[in-house]
Amino acid sequence: MKEQPIISVSAAEMQQLKNMIPDEERLFIGDQIPEDYLYDEYVEETGGLFAVALPKTKEEIVQLVKFANQADLSIITRGAGTGLSGATAPTNGELVIDVHLMNQIVDFDEKTMTLTVEPGVLLGEVQEFIEKKGFFYPPDPGSKHSSIGGNVATNAGGMRAVKYGVTRDYVRELDVVLANGEEMKLGSLNIKSSSGYDLKDLFIGSEGTLGITTLIKLKVIPLPKTSLSAIAAFENLKDATDAVLTILKNGVDPTALEFFEKEAIEMSEKDNHLAFPSQKGQAYLLITLDGDSTASVERRMKLLEESALQHHLIELVPLTNPEDDHTAWFLRDKLLTAVVNYTEQVTMDEVVPINHVSTLYQYTKELQAESGLEMISFGHAGDGNLHTCVTRGDIQDQAEWENKRDDVLTKLYHKIDELGGLPSAEHGIGLIKKPYFEKMTADINLAIMRKIKAVIDPDHRLNPSKIF
Amino acid sequence: MKEQPIISVSAAEMQQLKNMIPDEERLFIGDQIPEDYLYDEYVEETGGLFAVALPKTKEEIVQLVKFANQADLSIITRGAGTGLSGATAPTNGELVIDVHLMNQIVDFDEKTMTLTVEPGVLLGEVQEFIEKKGFFYPPDPGSKHSSIGGNVATNAGGMRAVKYGVTRDYVRELDVVLANGEEMKLGSLNIKSSSGYDLKDLFIGSEGTLGITTLIKLKVIPLPKTSLSAIAAFENLKDATDAVLTILKNGVDPTALEFFEKEAIEMSEKDNHLAFPSQKGQAYLLITLDGDSTASVERRMKLLEESALQHHLIELVPLTNPEDDHTAWFLRDKLLTAVVNYTEQVTMDEVVPINHVSTLYQYTKELQAESGLEMISFGHAGDGNLHTCVTRGDIQDQAEWENKRDDVLTKLYHKIDELGGLPSAEHGIGLIKKPYFEKMTADINLAIMRKIKAVIDPDHRLNPSKIF
């Protein structure tokens, strides 16, 4: 961490800030700031902060933004702090607006199937609340402790994107506060629009650089009546990912279509003292089908099996037993934790066109042979989103690890670019993928993004130095 | 039409243009311009044009754009010329770039389920081509003779939006030429992205004001295995639209959910000498269900009936007989033509949150009583998109009709705004809805749209004076 930067804020201004957020436990200034805000486990070196404020209302946010303008402070908006790209890491004396106390589920309108929530509501709370009412919020990012505001800021994806899409597809309307404190509504409850530029989608995924979200209206859908998961075991990952293309083409319409190698799931098995319900083969697909009837799911499960058999399926294990289902998904969910517990590593979030998943996977194995760094891949095969972990293993020397790691990452991102892929599918660019993103993005696209940032936030007050 | 504007283009420049587009039948200058380009049936007064060029390649488009920069001409991009909002109407001496000769289906990649087309390919050609291959391009705007480039420019919707979404949801990648002749790619074949600002969605629906589309990569999906339509007859439109909310909430998952009054379908019956397959009640829903099996469709048809019975359904007529099915949809498709044949009228394209459809409909009937102008409504009940026709009937006096019409439109758009609606769901703002759009859009949203336009097209060269 850098030295705390020197911010010239007068005593009168300091008092003004304290009057704005009158509760002591909602405002931390200078050396009172809890450690948690100052470090980011994914960013090697972070800067200091001026203050952290925890507003409870939109009005307090507006006041804080106006204060930041007056005192010439930059602003970082923070939700649950579960981001994986360093988008909320301090860089140089920012004011953090932490919205996690704005955590009310405001309204559910069954007629328009719209759920209105504050940005600090956790994803898990959204899912639980709405499923109790018989409805469904499909986006399903790994961390149920992430905030819905953060989900919007990163356009979070998750397991069910292959059938249901991502956060973007479920945001109807956003209330935002702009960099100058002005308020704005984006989108509407209307299902269709051909009325002017689509500003809502510009703000979604902009990682706190264009505005601060204060209220979110989400689309929900009727809860599927039934679902069933299964494991498909293959001799190698190429067969598994080839099968994915056939499964999608044949209209199996899977809700989730995860892939991982035996090596990876073994780490999770060891870490959790549980056995994965298939022990055959070297690569797996973990699949969920949902639908309006058992008959429909069963019919598509058969179609799935036929599709997979064209690619040397070893066995299909339907997880009809709830315990097996739980074990399989639990081990999948804990994959990353198992890798993290095993060794220091960098987890990527790359995406490639779905026909290139196995090419990219093969390339990680080539890099593994070349560099000696073990590369573990898992991810969402149905949408081309891999999470490749570049692991340190038993390299003792810090410089050797850093050099090898950086070399491998450079080569990997270069390959992803070559395959028409992107550096981030669902976690965002933040601080840590910025150099790769800038390299992989055409100059004209970057130039237009920068120009748009400059007209919406001319002082670069909101999360500066993030994304690009 | 205004006088042809005087454009100062030198003889040398004129020759340059002729060298660029060497075929006589692909370049029309000044008084050689066919009438069709100079008028727009939806715009009362249009300006003149400088020239019309019909490029066959992206390279020709780049040259034309550079020429327009050099000669300081504005550009209108035009597809099939089927737009309903005057977005391609001349305003003051523009150069029209008509892309309808760029009409090649370039590639179909089954692995990524991506169809690559030039912008001049017609929607009907896209649908026919891909269905023959066993795949499905769901967006289904009324005009099959519209160009796919125009569909992208207006974010066209259509009948199947309630289940499958709109054009926006099926555009993976766009190649565009910017106002200065620079080329740019938007989007990618990747299914997920959290990599920088979403510029693709900004360009979709921008009605030719941000760039000229030269290539489009569309997402297609497996063709549904079976489908069945039905008519639900009700005593009044309120029952019908209330039933829509219950149908959607109960997970019937309709592909299409159209509504119209008996009065409207009677016009189409008379015009086409055909009888609609239900003659009971005063308001109808015309519904399609599709799915992976007959059993699934039948089960949901039963659920549909149960849902409609909660709202005083008079009869449900499943269109199992292909002839009935054809008649019902043919009469629905010809509704607008029937109204047009009956009298002069203005067709709107408003959208309101789905729970407000019947409120808006009631209001059109109040305005009818007040103004004496007959108001005929039909549209896409499943997504809140009405097409209200304000008809002239037997008003002889031109000024009286214009005054009454404008008064009614002003009141209607005011009501739509009050209900949280928008002026255009799927046709675009163009020229004719501009005043209403500007009134219904918050100043800050308009200001940001204008700023974005100004940084992407600083000379306002592309379709100036459209949208805002």
Side-chain angles (χ1 to χ4, degrees):
Chain A
M1 197 191 76
K2 285 187 200 151
E3 290 287 292
Q4 282 290 92
I6 294 148
I7 310 284
S8 64
V9 173
S10 67
E13 281 178 327
M14 215 59 121
Q15 192 52 51
Q16 197 187 338
L17 186 58
K18 286 178 184 167
N19 294 343
M20 251 173 229
I21 308 290
D23 309 342
E24 257 181 41
E25 68 278 18
R26 296 203 289 124
L27 181 65
F28 307 100
I29 301 176
D31 51 20
Q32 297 161 11
I33 298 173
E35 290 269 306
D36 188 34
Y37 290 98
L38 295 166
Y39 298 94
D40 185 305
E41 60 182 306
Y42 303 101
V43 178
E44 286 177 6
E45 194 173 288
T46 57
L49 290 175
F50 164 67
V52 173
L54 290 86
K56 281 187 163 173
T57 63
K58 180 182 72 182
E59 289 67 30
E60 286 184 345
I61 291 182
V62 170
Q63 281 194 322
L64 287 165
V65 171
K66 289 186 173 166
F67 175 79
N69 274 269
Q70 180 193 321
D72 199 19
L73 294 167
S74 296
I75 295 169
I76 294 175
T77 309
R78 183 180 161 116
T82 60
L84 298 168
S85 308
T88 60
T91 62
N92 196 23
E94 291 95 340
L95 168 67
V96 169
I97 297 184
D98 176 338
V99 299
H100 90 260
L101 298 180
M102 291 176 67
N103 58 5
Q104 298 302 304
I105 294 179
V106 178
D107 181 50
F108 174 53
D109 177 25
E110 203 172 298
K111 284 189 172 174
T112 58
M113 290 188 265
T114 303
L115 180 69
T116 304
V117 293
E118 290 188 322
V121 176
L122 302 185
L123 170 65
E125 294 169 347
V126 166
Q127 291 176 335
E128 201 190 342
F129 175 89
I130 205 67
E131 288 177 26
K132 274 191 189 152
K133 305 237 174 224
F135 291 85
F136 188 40
Y137 175 71
D140 194 30
S143 170
K144 309 306 174 242
H145 299 284
S146 59
S147 71
I148 199 75
N151 283 211
V152 172
T154 54
N155 186 25
M159 311 273 192
R160 300 194 283 237
V162 56
K163 177 164 182 170
Y164 291 106
V166 294
T167 304
R168 182 183 300 291
D169 302 302
Y170 294 87
V171 176
R172 289 209 156 123
E173 191 179 290
L174 295 176
D175 284 5
V176 298
V177 173
L178 298 174
N180 61 1
E182 220 172 329
E183 296 173 40
M184 187 175 179
K185 252 188 212 310
L186 298 154
S188 70
L189 296 194
N190 299 292
I191 295 172
K192 280 163 152 182
S193 168
S194 183
S195 300
Y197 296 167
D198 177 9
L199 299 181
K200 181 187 73 179
D201 281 302
L202 187 63
F203 275 67
I204 296 171
S206 66
E207 303 188 43
T209 64
L210 296 178
I212 302 174
T213 304
T214 59
L215 198 72
I216 302 164
K217 297 199 174 187
L218 296 170
K219 164 183 164 177
V220 300
I221 63 175
L223 195 60
K225 299 222 178 351
T226 182
S227 78
L228 176 62
S229 292
I231 298 165
F234 297 86
E235 205 46 71
N236 56 61
L237 204 95
K238 184 164 183 348
D239 283 346
T241 54
D242 285 350
V244 166
L245 302 181
T246 307
I247 288 166
L248 294 176
K249 201 184 70 181
N250 286 349
V252 172
D253 202 15
T255 306
L257 195 40
E258 298 293 302
F259 80 93
F260 37 81
E261 310 159 78
K262 191 177 184 67
E263 278 174 86
I265 205 74
E266 273 174 356
M267 283 188 185
S268 190
E269 287 179 297
K270 213 179 289 173
D271 217 44
N272 295 289
H273 309 287
L274 281 167
F276 191 62
S278 170
Q279 292 292 328
K280 294 187 182 164
Q282 297 298 319
Y284 301 103
L285 296 178
L286 180 56
I287 305 132
T288 304
L289 304 185
D290 68 15
D292 64 332
S293 71
T294 315
S296 162
V297 168
E298 280 170 0
R299 189 171 44 248
R300 286 181 291 129
M301 194 58 89
K302 215 172 143 48
L303 189 58
L304 167 79
E305 187 168 20
E306 288 162 18
S307 307
L309 279 168
Q310 293 176 34
H311 303 278
H312 320 112
L313 174 73
I314 298 176
E315 67 169 352
L316 184 77
V317 184
L319 300 169
T320 37
N321 176 336
E323 209 172 305
D324 287 345
D325 181 80
H326 179 264
T327 302
W329 281 105
F330 181 80
L331 290 174
R332 160 64 188 86
D333 284 347
K334 295 292 176 190
L335 255 178
L336 183 55
T337 313
V339 178
V340 169
N341 289 343
Y342 159 66
T343 173
E344 190 178 340
Q345 50 85 46
V346 176
T347 305
M348 297 169 64
D349 173 40
E350 73 270 34
V351 57
V352 290
I354 50 169
N355 58 330
H356 291 320
V357 171
S358 79
T359 315
L360 182 62
Y361 172 78
Q362 284 309 322
Y363 186 70
T364 67
K365 293 298 157 189
E366 282 171 38
L367 280 183
Q368 173 172 318
E370 186 187 307
S371 66
L373 300 184
E374 193 180 351
M375 314 275 278
I376 299 161
S377 290
F378 59 92
H380 315 301
D383 47 44
N385 178 195
L386 291 84
H387 297 298
T388 300
C389 304
V390 181
T391 66
R392 178 165 181 166
D394 51 9
I395 297 177
Q396 297 302 316
D397 186 68
Q398 181 68 16
E400 185 191 343
W401 153 240
E402 286 178 12
N403 288 338
K404 282 197 169 177
R405 176 198 65 190
D406 293 349
D407 182 54
V408 160
L409 285 173
T410 302
K411 286 177 177 160
L412 256 173
Y413 281 113
H414 181 78
K415 185 71 177 180
I416 293 160
D417 193 20
E418 220 176 69
L419 296 173
L422 295 169
S424 175
E426 53 180 17
H427 297 168
I429 300 301
L431 210 50
I432 62 171
K433 284 173 224 137
K434 193 165 90 159
Y436 305 112
F437 172 67
E438 287 179 341
K439 219 172 186 171
M440 293 166 76
T441 307
D443 289 347
I444 178 71
N445 295 59
L446 273 178
I448 290 184
M449 289 183 202
R450 289 196 173 107
K451 283 179 186 173
I452 288 173
K453 165 73 174 169
V455 294
I456 298 180
D457 175 15
D459 298 329
H460 289 252
R461 193 165 305 291
L462 298 178
N463 221 4
S465 71
K466 305 294 163 60
I467 308 183
F468 46 74
Chain B
M1 198 190 77
K2 286 187 197 149
E3 290 287 290
Q4 282 291 93
I6 296 150
I7 310 283
S8 62
V9 173
S10 68
E13 282 178 327
M14 215 60 119
Q15 193 51 52
Q16 197 186 338
L17 186 58
K18 286 178 183 165
N19 295 343
M20 252 172 228
I21 308 289
D23 309 342
E24 259 180 40
E25 68 279 20
R26 296 202 290 123
L27 182 64
F28 307 100
I29 301 176
D31 51 20
Q32 298 163 10
I33 298 173
E35 291 269 307
D36 188 35
Y37 290 98
L38 295 167
Y39 298 93
D40 185 305
E41 58 181 309
Y42 303 102
V43 179
E44 284 176 8
E45 193 172 288
T46 57
L49 291 174
F50 164 68
V52 174
L54 290 83
K56 281 185 163 173
T57 62
K58 180 182 71 182
E59 290 67 31
E60 286 184 345
I61 290 182
V62 170
Q63 281 193 319
L64 287 165
V65 171
K66 288 184 174 166
F67 175 80
N69 274 269
Q70 180 192 321
D72 199 18
L73 293 167
S74 296
I75 295 170
I76 295 174
T77 310
R78 183 181 161 116
T82 60
L84 299 168
S85 308
T88 62
T91 61
N92 196 24
E94 292 94 342
L95 168 66
V96 169
I97 298 185
D98 177 338
V99 300
H100 91 259
L101 298 180
M102 291 178 67
N103 58 5
Q104 298 301 303
I105 294 178
V106 178
D107 181 51
F108 174 54
D109 178 23
E110 203 172 299
K111 284 188 171 174
T112 58
M113 290 188 266
T114 304
L115 180 68
T116 304
V117 293
E118 290 187 324
V121 176
L122 303 186
L123 170 65
E125 295 169 347
V126 167
Q127 291 176 335
E128 201 189 343
F129 175 89
I130 206 66
E131 287 177 26
K132 273 189 189 153
K133 304 237 172 223
F135 291 85
F136 188 41
Y137 175 70
D140 194 31
S143 170
K144 309 306 174 236
H145 299 283
S146 59
S147 71
I148 198 77
N151 282 211
V152 172
T154 54
N155 185 28
M159 311 272 193
R160 299 194 282 236
V162 55
K163 177 164 181 171
Y164 291 107
V166 294
T167 304
R168 181 183 301 290
D169 302 304
Y170 294 87
V171 176
R172 288 209 157 123
E173 192 178 289
L174 295 176
D175 284 5
V176 298
V177 173
L178 299 174
N180 61 0
E182 219 171 331
E183 296 173 41
M184 187 175 179
K185 251 186 213 308
L186 299 154
S188 70
L189 296 193
N190 300 292
I191 295 172
K192 279 163 153 181
S193 168
S194 181
S195 300
Y197 296 167
D198 177 10
L199 299 181
K200 182 187 74 179
D201 281 302
L202 188 64
F203 276 66
I204 296 171
S206 66
E207 305 187 41
T209 63
L210 296 178
I212 302 174
T213 304
T214 60
L215 199 72
I216 302 165
K217 299 201 173 187
L218 295 170
K219 164 184 165 178
V220 299
I221 63 175
L223 195 58
K225 300 225 175 351
T226 183
S227 78
L228 176 62
S229 292
I231 298 165
F234 298 86
E235 205 45 72
N236 56 61
L237 203 95
K238 182 162 185 347
D239 283 347
T241 54
D242 285 350
V244 166
L245 302 182
T246 306
I247 288 166
L248 294 175
K249 199 185 72 180
N250 286 348
V252 172
D253 203 15
T255 306
L257 194 40
E258 298 293 301
F259 81 92
F260 35 81
E261 309 160 78
K262 190 176 184 67
E263 278 173 85
I265 206 74
E266 273 174 355
M267 285 187 183
S268 190
E269 287 179 298
K270 214 179 287 175
D271 216 45
N272 295 289
H273 309 286
L274 280 167
F276 191 61
S278 170
Q279 293 291 330
K280 295 189 180 163
Q282 297 298 320
Y284 301 103
L285 296 177
L286 180 56
I287 306 132
T288 304
L289 304 185
D290 68 15
D292 64 332
S293 72
T294 314
S296 161
V297 167
E298 280 170 0
R299 191 172 40 249
R300 286 181 291 127
M301 194 58 88
K302 214 172 144 45
L303 190 57
L304 167 79
E305 187 169 19
E306 288 162 17
S307 307
L309 279 169
Q310 294 176 33
H311 302 277
H312 319 113
L313 174 73
I314 298 175
E315 67 170 353
L316 184 77
V317 184
L319 301 170
T320 36
N321 177 337
E323 209 173 302
D324 288 345
D325 181 81
H326 180 264
T327 303
W329 282 104
F330 181 80
L331 290 174
R332 160 64 188 85
D333 284 348
K334 295 293 176 189
L335 256 179
L336 184 54
T337 313
V339 179
V340 169
N341 289 343
Y342 159 66
T343 174
E344 191 178 341
Q345 51 85 46
V346 176
T347 305
M348 298 169 65
D349 172 39
E350 73 269 33
V351 56
V352 289
I354 49 168
N355 58 329
H356 291 320
V357 170
S358 77
T359 314
L360 183 61
Y361 171 78
Q362 284 310 321
Y363 185 69
T364 67
K365 291 299 158 189
E366 282 170 38
L367 281 181
Q368 173 171 315
E370 185 187 308
S371 67
L373 300 184
E374 194 180 351
M375 314 276 278
I376 298 161
S377 290
F378 59 93
H380 317 300
D383 46 45
N385 177 195
L386 289 85
H387 296 298
T388 300
C389 304
V390 180
T391 65
R392 178 165 180 166
D394 52 9
I395 297 177
Q396 297 301 315
D397 186 68
Q398 182 66 17
E400 185 192 344
W401 153 240
E402 286 179 10
N403 288 339
K404 281 195 171 177
R405 176 198 66 190
D406 293 350
D407 182 53
V408 159
L409 286 173
T410 303
K411 285 177 178 161
L412 256 172
Y413 280 114
H414 182 78
K415 185 70 177 183
I416 293 160
D417 194 19
E418 220 176 69
L419 295 172
L422 295 169
S424 175
E426 55 181 15
H427 296 169
I429 300 301
L431 210 50
I432 62 170
K433 284 173 224 137
K434 195 166 88 158
Y436 305 112
F437 172 67
E438 288 179 340
K439 219 172 187 173
M440 292 167 76
T441 306
D443 289 347
I444 178 71
N445 295 59
L446 274 177
I448 290 184
M449 290 182 200
R450 290 196 172 107
K451 283 179 186 174
I452 288 174
K453 166 74 174 168
V455 294
I456 297 180
D457 176 16
D459 298 329
H460 289 254
R461 194 164 304 292
L462 299 177
N463 220 4
S465 71
K466 305 292 164 62
I467 308 184
F468 46 73

